[in-house]
Amino acid sequence: MMCSLPLLTLLWALNTAAPAAAPNPIQQLQDARALIERGELRDAHQILDALVRRFPGFGLAQLELGELLVKEGAPAERQVQVFETAASLEPKNPRSHLGLCGAYDRNQSFEKAVVSCRQALQARPGRTDIQRRLAVLLVLAGRDAEAIPELKTASARFPEDDLLRAHLAEACERQGDFDCARRSYEALFARHPASALHARRLARFYERRGEPQRAEATLKKSGEAPRRQLRPLPPSAR
């Protein structure tokens, strides 16, 4: 039985049709970013995970996946793995090094975090947020001597940042710069005169310096008069 002409034409078209176009990785990356902006993290994760598997050398996709893992609260080890790959593929992209710095920080690999943070700062020397993070990381890495000038610079730029000032006070005290430590502890207390936390910090510093009367006066001023005689405490450990 002979086929009609229209049917023959359809069969020929099906047999000679061009294969479907391969997925466009750039478009997939944009799709994933749009999903992230809408808060659809699970769907975005599926796209990015498939994308980096198919195109393992696509650094921007690795970077986007790493930043998504941070949003999802993924294990720090997994974040480190992805950001290390991203940094190797995008060595001039400060986002890669800054992401890796954060992942190392969360993994408590502070020495590696310092290195990555410095690399990010080299690419973006004017980023004060990176400078602030570097100052804190140097303290966490036990490098007080290097941290102090960074902390002083960051504290001058962020005068209301109590964390920086507290780190500066403790680092200076550990390094034996008691004048710097005193100024920093006193500045914290002056900003928060009703704070029991800052009052106790300053009072304990006075006790360690052999000034119990000042310690008691500080606690009274904050409403935290001691119920018992304060004892000198050793310098705070890292």
Side-chain angles (χ1 to χ4, degrees):
M1 181 176 179
M2 296 183 62
C3 294
S4 64
L5 184 59
L7 180 58
L8 288 173
T9 302
L10 177 60
L11 291 172
W12 177 85
L14 290 173
N15 289 331
T16 58
N24 183 334
I26 299 298
Q27 184 60 55
Q28 287 183 303
L29 179 62
Q30 292 174 348
D31 291 344
R33 286 172 173 168
L35 288 169
I36 292 171
E37 289 180 1
R38 295 200 299 267
E40 301 176 35
L41 303 187
R42 180 178 297 181
D43 292 340
H45 190 125
Q46 291 179 348
I47 292 176
L48 291 172
D49 194 51
L51 192 55
V52 299
R53 289 178 186 275
R54 182 163 185 170
F55 302 99
F58 191 6
L60 288 178
Q62 295 279 1
L63 178 54
E64 202 73 41
L65 177 59
E67 293 176 347
L68 178 57
L69 290 173
V70 176
K71 292 178 183 293
E72 294 177 323
E77 295 83 357
R78 173 63 174 151
Q79 295 179 32
V80 166
Q81 179 187 24
V82 174
F83 277 119
E84 282 181 340
T85 302
S88 68
L89 295 170
E90 293 282 330
K92 295 183 179 181
N93 191 329
R95 285 173 58 201
S96 300
H97 299 296
L98 193 57
L100 185 55
C101 169
Y104 281 141
D105 186 359
R106 288 183 287 274
N107 201 40
Q108 297 189 348
S109 301
F110 299 126
E111 287 288 353
K112 291 182 177 180
V114 167
V115 173
S116 295
C117 195
R118 287 195 188 281
Q119 290 174 322
L121 195 56
Q122 286 175 357
R124 292 290 186 272
R127 286 279 298 273
T128 55
D129 58 322
I130 303 177
Q131 293 172 329
R132 178 195 180 282
R133 187 164 203 166
L134 175 60
V136 174
L137 283 169
L138 285 167
V139 173
L140 296 175
R143 295 158 66 171
D144 287 337
E146 296 175 66
I148 287 172
E150 298 286 351
L151 287 167
K152 287 180 177 179
T153 299
S155 294
R157 288 173 176 160
F158 302 98
E160 297 183 357
D161 192 321
D162 294 337
L163 179 62
L164 286 173
R165 188 75 62 180
H167 276 307
L168 177 60
E170 293 173 359
C172 284
E173 187 175 2
R174 285 192 293 266
Q175 288 292 299
D177 188 347
F178 301 117
D179 288 338
C180 168
R182 183 186 297 272
R183 288 194 300 270
S184 299
Y185 283 123
E186 289 177 345
L188 281 169
F189 181 59
R191 276 179 43 77
H192 305 281
S195 167
L197 171 63
H198 294 301
R200 286 194 295 267
R201 277 180 169 172
L202 178 57
R204 287 170 179 168
F205 171 77
Y206 286 145
E207 283 288 328
R208 290 192 293 272
R209 300 305 302 152
E211 302 175 72
Q213 292 180 341
R214 282 195 172 185
E216 185 174 355
T218 298
L219 293 175
K220 285 182 177 179
K221 185 176 180 180
S222 70
E224 288 288 315
R227 296 181 181 178
R228 62 181 184 276
Q229 185 67 31
L230 291 172
R231 293 180 301 168
L233 297 176
S236 58
R238 284 187 295 107

